[in-house]
Amino acid sequence: MSAGFSPASRLDLTQTHGTAANLDNAFSPSSLQTAISRTRDFLLHRQHTDGHWVAELEGDTILESEYILLLAFLGQGQSTRAKEAAAYLLSHQSEDGSWGNFPGGPIDVSAAAKAYLALKITGHDPSLPVMQKARAAILNAGGVERVNSFTRFYLAMLGLIPYDLCPAVPPELILIPDWSPFNIYEMSAWSRTIVIPLSLLWAYQPKTQLPPEHHIDELYASLEKQLPRQIQGVNTAGDTGSWNWSRFFQRVDQALKSVEGWGIKPLRSVAVKRCEQWILERLEDSDGLGAIFPPIIWTIIGMRCLGYKDDSPVIQSQLAELEKLVIRDDVTGEVRLQPCLSPVWDSAITVIALRDAGVPATHPQMRKGIEWLLSQEIRTKGDWSRARPDVEPGGWCFEYRNKFYPDFDDTAMVVIALSRCLPEDLHGPWSLNWHQEGPADHATLSGTATASKTAVQQVEAAQPLLSAMRRGMDWLVAMQSRNGGWGAFDVDNTREVFTKVPFADHNAMIDPSSADITARILEAFAGVTSERDMPCMLKSLKYIWSDQCDDGAWFGRWGVNYLYGTWQVIQGLTRFGISPQDSRLQRGAAWLIAKQQPCGGWGETPATYDDPSLRGTGTPTASQTAWAILGLVSAGHADSEAVRRGVLFLIDTQQADGGWNEPEFTGTGFPRVFYLRYHYYRIYFPLMALSRYQTAISAAGNA
């Protein structure tokens, strides 16, 4: 349920920022304020009763397809729920009959093949026009022979191919010691949570045999009607020469299969038991293993392999977590699934956007939002502590419960949100100054108050924020990688060789540093300390400068794509204290201006991850336009024609409820493989952009 925002508690912010100056005749200060107020109220109306915000997180149709394939494995392929998910698949089929990994994108053979199979399982006759179009699209793209490794596992467990055509994922991987360069903790956190339960599938090779009418022989492009033994995917790109890592691991894969075929598995029972214990431990205080869709699916399958019954507490708990990701449209009767839930991320950004829009930190709804964020801090050690065992926990995860996997991006965003909500006083702002001096780090809160009693009360009230921010910053500093940057979950998770193993074609086996997260962490530093010459900060600056592209842009790992990366770097570094006039930042700003479209907006397609020459091009969206405006305002271009045109684009395209229409995917899961549509990106980022523009213009007019 959402908390109501009664008319009596509405804020009159008309005069908050003064009179906007230097606007052309395209829009008035009042129209700008109206747009801000609408979006501000949109968010305030949608706060949940406990204080948090969360919107739908949308992925591509592999979620619905794999859900149906799981149901088929469980003997429920003809269930009402499976057919409801199939209806969603049909409604999202492209005009050419295919399914891609983002709207308007090219066919993804794995996504299309799984959708076709799911539709057959749920009773769709292959002679139907929609099925014929799908089959033609798949064959034109090379046939089912082109599917990735994870799709092969689904085909194997449904009896459509032998397990020998899947990459070997032996459970003995879990026994490899930490000192080895190939241990599981050198994989990315999300890959780790997939590989361990998947290894149980490999060990037991269960099978639910589909009836002949559900087979997909018609999807083979070759006469042999058999998948090639070698899997081609994004992980093999760039391999050249007569010897390479991909070929090496393919040979290892075949050797493992041969050894297992001879019955030589001396450590199998020990490894299986360790995998079981590992999974059960990480299910505690978590919304499923890793709190994301794929590990939850593989956990259900893996635990069934171990003999857990469908009515056992473990299986039932994971089915319940999967159910939390299900959204049923009562109008269409369709069922869709989210890859995970995003309450911490949505709540932190919403708090920042509302503060930008002038909502006081003392407002009851803001206080509730902060209290909820504070309640989500993770104070226990997780997988990250294998590399940093002596570091005090103090981070935030993306989801509601995921205690083993706090991440650096959410932690930085929460720290920024908390820093924006320190005590307010009529006689001046309060500021936090965090100092890191080895183990004796501390924080100082300074400011002015009308009376000593007031000051004491405000400091006491701020104590929970200060403590949480201090722990968060200490944890982030401790998790910095050697190159000066930050990844998402782990430190120095950069062992490139892992990207060449046969089951690495989801393009996410490692978790290297990225400029967008690193710049956001510098922005978080700016909110808690006035120091700028700490070694960790200087290293991170060096990393960010080295990552700039020749044309001035920065790659965006977690948002699409160069618009996201360039905005976050410019904003993060200027907030940190780098001059907006720095030539490198101005090159980034010039790139943003050059990519503005005739309508005044900005847009960029996820196809830029495959073809960087497309960067800065694509259908204009509200979220990406907001990122460009935020970057340009941070770079000192608030009064430019480009920014005014961007603001006008947002005002003109705003809907009556304060939101924007944005079907495009502007979030990134795994580049080249999986993209996301955050349903609040079209809300809180435009609110930030309009509000910060208004503030900047007001400041310039009053200077």
Side-chain angles (χ1 to χ4, degrees):
M1 293 181 61
S2 298
F5 186 60
S6 64
S9 62
R10 288 182 183 273
L11 301 169
D12 181 7
L13 301 183
T14 306
Q15 303 301 321
T16 298
H17 300 295
T19 303
N22 297 321
L23 290 171
D24 58 22
N25 294 325
F27 62 90
S28 66
S30 62
S31 64
L32 173 62
Q33 182 58 55
T34 297
I36 292 171
S37 299
R38 283 176 179 169
T39 309
R40 178 203 66 208
D41 291 348
F42 179 102
L43 289 171
L44 288 171
H45 274 299
R46 286 161 177 78
Q47 186 180 31
H48 287 245
T49 54
D50 65 355
H52 81 282
W53 286 267
V54 65
E56 181 178 348
L57 182 59
E58 182 181 345
D60 64 48
T61 57
I62 65 167
L63 300 168
E64 291 72 33
S65 297
E66 292 181 359
Y67 181 55
I68 293 171
L69 300 186
L70 171 68
L71 293 176
F73 179 75
L74 299 176
Q76 302 171 33
Q78 295 288 315
S79 65
T80 299
R81 176 54 62 82
K83 292 179 179 179
E84 290 171 336
Y88 182 83
L89 286 176
L90 280 177
S91 70
H92 284 70
Q93 186 179 25
S94 299
E95 286 293 325
D96 65 357
S98 70
W99 288 267
N101 51 23
F102 62 90
I107 183 173
D108 180 280
V109 177
S110 295
K114 283 184 284 194
Y116 184 92
L117 173 59
L119 291 173
K120 286 194 78 173
I121 289 171
T122 51
H124 293 78
D125 193 294
S127 64
L128 291 172
V130 291
M131 298 294 281
Q132 291 180 353
K133 287 178 66 177
R135 182 168 63 252
I138 293 168
L139 291 173
N140 287 337
V144 72
E145 294 93 332
R146 298 283 302 277
V147 298
N148 60 24
S149 61
F150 290 134
T151 302
R152 291 186 180 217
F153 278 110
Y154 280 103
L155 298 180
M157 73 186 202
L158 294 174
L160 299 179
I161 64 171
Y163 275 94
D164 188 57
L165 292 177
C166 299
V169 188
E172 288 82 2
L173 287 169
I174 202 169
L175 302 177
I176 299 175
D178 288 2
W179 52 260
S180 168
F182 291 97
N183 75 84
I184 63 168
Y185 295 99
E186 293 293 334
M187 301 177 189
S188 63
W190 50 84
S191 292
R192 195 180 314 138
T193 56
I194 292 173
V195 165
I196 298 304
L198 189 62
S199 72
L200 297 175
L201 180 73
W202 174 258
Y204 288 89
Q205 302 190 0
K207 189 179 297 183
T208 294
Q209 188 66 55
L210 292 179
E213 61 268 24
H214 293 162
H215 288 205
I216 54 172
D217 290 350
E218 66 269 27
L219 296 187
Y220 284 94
S222 61
L223 295 177
E224 296 81 6
K225 294 190 180 300
Q226 183 174 334
L227 298 181
R229 290 200 169 273
Q230 293 185 1
I231 305 172
Q232 297 297 318
V234 295
N235 61 326
T236 60
D239 283 345
T240 58
S242 59
W243 178 261
N244 55 48
W245 280 110
S246 293
R247 187 175 293 112
F248 169 77
F249 283 119
Q250 288 165 0
R251 293 174 179 174
V252 171
D253 180 76
Q254 292 304 312
L256 286 171
K257 291 172 180 175
S258 297
V259 169
E260 289 195 16
W262 298 331
I264 304 175
K265 297 179 281 188
L267 299 175
R268 180 56 52 91
S269 61
V270 175
V272 165
K273 189 63 178 177
R274 183 78 64 83
C275 288
E276 179 184 12
Q277 294 170 342
W278 191 92
I279 293 170
L280 291 176
E281 180 184 2
R282 282 156 182 77
L283 293 183
E284 296 179 7
D285 294 329
S286 296
D287 298 332
L289 184 59
I292 53 178
F293 175 89
I296 296 174
I297 292 280
W298 296 120
T299 295
I300 293 170
I301 297 169
M303 300 311 273
R304 284 179 105 246
C305 290
L306 296 178
Y308 288 80
K309 303 299 183 183
D310 288 351
D311 60 356
S312 68
V314 171
I315 298 292
Q316 284 296 304
S317 70
Q318 296 314 290
L319 289 171
E321 295 300 343
L322 193 60
E323 186 66 22
K324 293 176 184 177
L325 303 178
V326 171
I327 299 175
R328 188 181 189 280
D329 190 319
D330 292 332
V331 176
T332 65
E334 297 175 358
V335 155
R336 61 189 185 273
L337 286 95
Q338 302 180 79
C340 62
L341 303 175
S342 55
V344 173
W345 185 247
D346 282 339
S347 296
I349 302 177
T350 297
V351 166
I352 297 167
L354 290 175
R355 290 290 290 124
D356 285 336
V359 181
T362 54
H363 189 277
Q365 288 185 249
M366 295 296 285
R367 285 180 171 175
K368 232 178 179 184
I370 289 299
E371 288 170 2
W372 186 86
L373 285 173
L374 290 173
S375 74
Q376 296 301 115
E377 185 187 5
I378 297 173
R379 300 292 306 278
T380 56
K381 292 187 175 182
D383 281 7
W384 58 268
S385 64
R386 307 280 295 211
R388 295 289 187 269
D390 299 326
V391 173
E392 179 187 12
W396 282 262
C397 68
F398 185 77
E399 306 86 358
Y400 288 102
R401 299 187 309 150
N402 194 10
K403 77 170 186 178
F404 279 85
Y405 301 103
D407 67 90
F408 312 146
D409 212 6
D410 278 275
T411 299
M413 195 67 87
V414 170
V415 169
I416 294 170
L418 297 180
S419 71
R420 296 291 304 277
C421 294
L422 290 171
E424 293 179 325
D425 184 87
L426 293 176
H427 293 273
W430 289 81
S431 63
L432 175 68
N433 201 17
W434 167 79
H435 314 268
Q436 191 193 36
E437 300 170 2
D441 60 294
H442 59 283
T444 303
L445 182 67
S446 60
T448 59
T450 54
S452 59
K453 182 178 180 180
T454 303
V456 170
Q457 290 173 340
Q458 292 192 349
V459 169
E460 289 178 347
Q463 187 57 48
L465 277 75
L466 299 176
S467 298
M469 292 164 66
R470 191 273 303 169
R471 287 189 296 269
M473 296 311 302
D474 285 348
W475 185 68
L476 287 173
V477 169
M479 299 303 292
Q480 186 178 30
S481 291
R482 284 188 293 267
N483 66 0
W486 279 267
F489 290 91
D490 290 296
V491 60
D492 293 318
N493 194 266
T494 57
R495 205 167 293 278
E496 287 281 346
V497 67
F498 271 112
T499 67
K500 302 302 180 182
V501 300
F503 54 83
D505 51 2
H506 61 305
N507 199 31
M509 282 295 287
I510 57 175
D511 181 12
S513 299
S514 65
D516 48 340
I517 292 181
T518 303
R520 183 166 291 124
I521 290 173
L522 282 180
E523 184 177 353
F525 283 150
V528 301
T529 182
S530 60
E531 297 184 34
R532 295 293 184 269
D533 57 354
M534 293 182 189
C536 63
M537 299 178 185
L538 299 178
K539 282 180 65 177
S540 61
L541 278 174
K542 184 177 180 181
Y543 165 75
I544 291 173
W545 294 135
S546 70
D547 200 53
Q548 188 173 24
C549 300
D550 291 341
D551 61 3
W554 275 271
F555 176 83
R557 166 60 182 87
W558 294 98
V560 180
N561 174 348
Y562 296 88
L563 289 176
Y564 183 89
T566 305
W567 149 63
Q568 183 54 71
V569 167
I570 295 175
Q571 177 175 293
L573 296 196
T574 53
R575 293 259 168 161
F576 177 70
I578 302 299
S579 170
Q581 301 308 312
D582 184 279
S583 61
R584 293 160 292 191
L585 297 184
Q586 285 302 311
R587 286 179 58 223
W591 181 84
L592 289 174
I593 292 172
K595 296 303 178 181
Q596 187 173 31
Q597 300 190 26
C599 65
W602 282 264
E604 188 170 11
T605 169
T608 55
Y609 289 101
D610 293 284
D611 183 1
S613 69
L614 297 174
R615 57 183 159 207
T617 65
T619 302
T621 67
S623 60
Q624 291 169 320
T625 297
W627 297 339
I629 292 171
L630 287 165
L632 290 173
V633 169
S634 296
H637 294 275
D639 196 28
S640 66
E641 178 185 357
V643 170
R644 288 196 296 273
R645 290 176 57 220
V647 169
L648 178 60
F649 172 84
L650 290 180
I651 292 175
D652 284 349
T653 57
Q654 187 184 39
Q655 298 175 314
D657 66 354
W660 282 262
N661 180 40
E662 185 172 293
E664 291 78 15
F665 283 32
T666 62
T668 306
F670 306 144
R672 305 180 64 190
V673 175
F674 188 67
Y675 302 102
L676 298 162
R677 180 189 175 208
Y678 291 80
H679 282 220
Y680 269 175
Y681 272 20
R682 65 185 180 90
I683 306 297
Y684 44 55
F685 283 123
L687 179 59
M688 275 189 198
L690 294 177
S691 299
R692 293 186 188 179
Y693 167 77
Q694 185 185 58
T695 299
I697 290 298
S698 175
N702 293 330

